[in-house]
């Protein structure tokens, strides 16, 4: 057991300190307690934490978050994809380090973290705020595991909700219209009917194509980080097989014709097709042209007194992935098949992402159950509404 000792400061103020041994049997002390009772409570806390194997050395808690954060960021470079690491590093540098870098980890309070989150949410998106919080919490998680602090004060704070973003789904006709004015029409249609991410599609090589089975093996992901194309594994780090429709077979064979096995399927075979710029790229131009054609068709239908066709939504290349899910589900694909096509980690993730597309399935299930139950006696055991004759007091047995 440790001990409590009084002492006087240079100003003559009486304070208390505690002396005890760490778990490694080295002696240490803590001072500055204004009351003997406070010193005794701290000493009891130390002895209990030692007995539970939860002792935290106050000296370790004086490490700054900036020091631990730099090491944490380096450690993440091994498991994060280049594009994700770039975003993480930027968030650390812009939002986390300026606020917490000079602070001792043992001195950070839960209320301070909550105030920081609330302030950040006033000017930044929910995604940015959540990313910044996860960096701070991730660093403190490591500090807890290293026994530098007893608990992570960044966990349990209230975070802003991410607003649900309405998705745009194209019809078959709209995919055709978009591809008509696109620089790479084959790539547009391929994305809309396979659900591959941009980097997965542009990273396909001839050797990844099985024309006999109409399958592509998704093994590489070409992501643009700054001005550099980084080649890595697919987002989930798992390879997958995706089948493409028969109407694309001739196109895929033409794209692969005359190229070596290691050549890229799309483009010239050597350079990856880069993602087009959001507002000035060829994809945006194709969308604008498709919207103009759709608007003309609407005006013509109005003049003829016919039903108006749908407007053409503003879409991005990634929306073609959502379109692929929509077209597959409307064609009767089950959630497990869509999950495998998109490369989601689980069917639950697919359902959470595209729950709106499965609404019709709920009606179909109810109708199928009703049809099956009609041929059984299950309905006869349930109370029934009276017929019109019974409601009017007429005996239905009298003809």
């Amino acid at each position: 057991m440790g001990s409590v000792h009084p002492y006087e400061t240079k100003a003559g103020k009486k304070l208390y300190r505690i002396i005890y041994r760490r778990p490694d049997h080295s002696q240490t002390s803590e001072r500055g307690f204004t009351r003997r009772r406070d010193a005794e409570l701290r000493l009891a806390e130390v002895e209990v934490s030692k007995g539970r194997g939860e002792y935290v050395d106050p000296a370790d808690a004086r490490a700054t978050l900036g020091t631990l954060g730099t090491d944490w960021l380096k450690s993440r470079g091994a498991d994060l994809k280049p594009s994700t690491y770039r975003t993480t590093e930027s968030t650390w540098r812009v939002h986390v380090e300026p606020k917490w870098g000079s602070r001792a980890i043992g001195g950070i309070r839960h209320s301070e973290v909550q105030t920081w989150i609330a302030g950040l949410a006033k000017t930044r998106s929910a995604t940015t705020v959540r990313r910044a919080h996860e960096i701070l919490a991730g660093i403190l998680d490591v500090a807890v595991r290293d026994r530098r602090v007893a608990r992570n004060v960044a966990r349990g704070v209230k975070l802003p909700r991410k607003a649900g973003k309405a998705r745009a789904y194209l019809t078959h006709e709209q995919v055709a219209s978009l591809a008509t004015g696109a620089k790479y029409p084959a790539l547009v249609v391929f994305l809309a009917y396979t659900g591959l991410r941009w980097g997965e599609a542009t990273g396909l090589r001839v050797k990844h194509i099985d024309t006999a089975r109409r399958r592509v093996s998704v093994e590489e992901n070409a992501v643009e980080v700054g001005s550099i194309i980084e080649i890595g594994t697919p987002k989930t780090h798992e390879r997958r097989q995706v089948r493409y429709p028969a109407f694309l077979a001739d196109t895929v064979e033409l794209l692969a014709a005359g190229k070596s096995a290691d050549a890229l399927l799309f483009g010239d075979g050597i350079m990856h097709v880069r993602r087009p710029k959001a507002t000035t790229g060829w994809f945006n131009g194709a969308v604008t042209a498709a919207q103009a054609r759709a608007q003309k068709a609407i005006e013509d239908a109005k003049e003829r007194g016919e039903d108006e066709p749908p407007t053409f939504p503003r879409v991005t290349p990634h929306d073609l992935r959502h379109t692929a899910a929509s077209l597959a589900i409307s064609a009767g694909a089950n959630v497990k098949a869509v999950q495998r096509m998109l490369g989601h980690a689980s069917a639950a993730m697919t359902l959470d992402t595209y729950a709106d597309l499965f609404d019709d399935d709920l009606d179909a299930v109810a109708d199928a159950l009703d049809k099956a139950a009609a041929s059984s006696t299950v309905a006869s055991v349930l109370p029934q509404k009276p017929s019109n004759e019974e409601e009017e007091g007429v005996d239905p047995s009298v003809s």
Side-chain angles (χ1 to χ4, degrees):
M1 294 291 291
S3 55
V4 178
H5 303 274
Y7 69 95
E8 286 190 3
T9 67
K10 291 181 179 180
K13 184 177 182 180
K14 186 178 181 179
L15 298 175
Y16 296 87
R17 68 173 177 171
I18 60 175
I19 300 175
Y20 61 89
R21 292 190 180 276
R22 302 185 184 93
D24 63 1
H25 303 298
S26 62
Q27 184 172 287
T28 188
S29 66
E30 296 180 35
R31 61 174 59 212
F33 299 97
T34 57
R35 299 186 304 169
R36 185 180 188 89
R37 176 171 175 75
D38 293 336
E40 290 172 343
L41 287 173
R42 171 56 184 162
L43 185 58
E45 181 183 79
V46 167
E47 295 302 330
V48 170
S49 66
K50 284 163 58 178
R52 291 177 175 175
E54 299 173 351
Y55 172 75
V56 174
D57 191 333
D60 290 336
R62 288 196 286 271
T64 65
L65 191 98
T67 300
L68 299 184
T70 300
D71 292 339
W72 177 86
L73 197 62
K74 289 178 181 177
S75 71
R76 297 312 308 274
D79 59 281
L80 292 179
K81 291 183 174 297
S83 57
T84 305
Y85 181 83
R86 179 186 174 92
T87 302
T88 302
E89 188 278 332
S90 175
T91 304
W92 156 257
R93 178 167 37 81
V94 174
H95 299 296
V96 183
E97 186 179 26
K99 172 66 178 178
W100 305 106
S102 62
R103 293 287 300 277
I105 56 174
I108 299 174
R109 299 290 177 260
H110 178 87
S111 57
E112 291 181 292
V113 177
Q114 185 65 76
T115 301
W116 173 60
I117 291 296
L120 204 58
K122 292 179 180 179
T123 57
R124 303 294 176 177
S125 68
T127 299
T128 298
V129 175
R130 284 174 167 269
R131 187 182 295 120
H133 166 263
E134 191 54 37
I135 291 173
L136 175 62
I139 295 169
L140 292 178
D141 277 341
V142 175
V144 171
R145 289 193 290 271
D146 286 346
R147 300 285 179 86
R148 292 180 178 273
V149 289
R151 67 188 185 90
N152 188 341
V153 297
R155 294 297 181 192
V157 300
K158 294 181 179 179
L159 299 172
R161 291 184 179 181
K162 295 175 69 173
K165 193 176 181 181
R167 294 188 182 86
Y169 304 117
L170 301 184
T171 65
H172 296 283
E173 292 75 14
Q174 287 174 330
V175 172
S177 178
L178 178 62
T180 298
K183 181 179 180 180
Y184 299 100
L187 178 56
V188 168
V189 176
F190 189 85
L191 290 169
Y193 283 88
T194 62
L196 267 63
R197 301 174 178 88
W198 178 273
E200 293 172 342
T202 57
L204 285 175
R205 300 182 186 276
V206 173
K207 64 183 179 183
H208 298 149
I209 313 300
D210 183 346
T211 55
R213 301 172 64 203
R214 298 203 319 275
R215 290 178 184 268
V216 297
S217 180
V218 183
E219 301 180 16
E220 295 183 10
N221 191 30
V223 180
E224 193 166 349
V225 182
S227 60
I228 306 297
I229 298 291
E230 297 279 357
I231 309 301
T233 57
K235 188 172 183 179
T236 57
H237 297 286
E238 292 185 5
R239 299 176 180 178
R240 71 183 188 278
Q241 296 276 325
V242 177
R243 199 162 194 249
Y244 53 87
F247 76 86
L248 276 170
D250 287 348
T251 299
V252 171
E253 289 187 20
L254 285 172
L255 288 170
K259 293 181 178 178
S260 67
D262 287 324
L264 296 167
L265 182 67
F266 292 101
D268 62 6
I270 301 172
M271 302 292 291
H272 289 86
V273 178
R274 290 180 176 268
R275 183 183 289 271
K277 293 182 179 180
T279 57
T280 59
W282 61 264
F283 190 90
N284 180 73
V287 172
T288 301
Q291 289 178 320
R293 287 192 293 272
Q295 186 59 39
K296 179 66 166 55
I298 291 172
E299 294 171 357
D300 291 344
K302 283 181 179 179
E303 290 183 1
R304 295 191 296 267
E306 300 174 351
D307 292 336
E308 298 177 16
T311 58
F312 196 99
R314 172 60 58 178
V315 292
T316 66
H318 193 72
D319 286 324
L320 296 180
R321 178 170 165 81
H322 302 320
T323 290
S326 172
L327 296 179
I329 292 168
S330 64
N334 61 52
V335 64
K336 196 65 181 177
V338 177
Q339 175 215 338
R340 292 179 62 187
M341 178 181 74
L342 299 178
H344 284 166
S346 66
M349 179 180 178
T350 305
L351 282 172
D352 287 343
T353 305
Y354 298 110
D356 56 321
L357 296 178
F358 286 95
D359 284 345
D360 291 342
D361 282 0
L362 298 178
D363 296 333
V365 169
D367 292 342
L369 288 173
D370 184 66
K371 185 176 181 180
S375 61
S376 72
T377 58
V378 67
S380 65
V381 304
L382 300 173
Q384 304 291 323
K385 288 176 62 177
S387 65
N388 291 336
E389 291 181 337
E390 290 175 327
E391 289 179 347
E392 294 172 1
V394 178
D395 186 350
S397 64
V398 179
S399 60

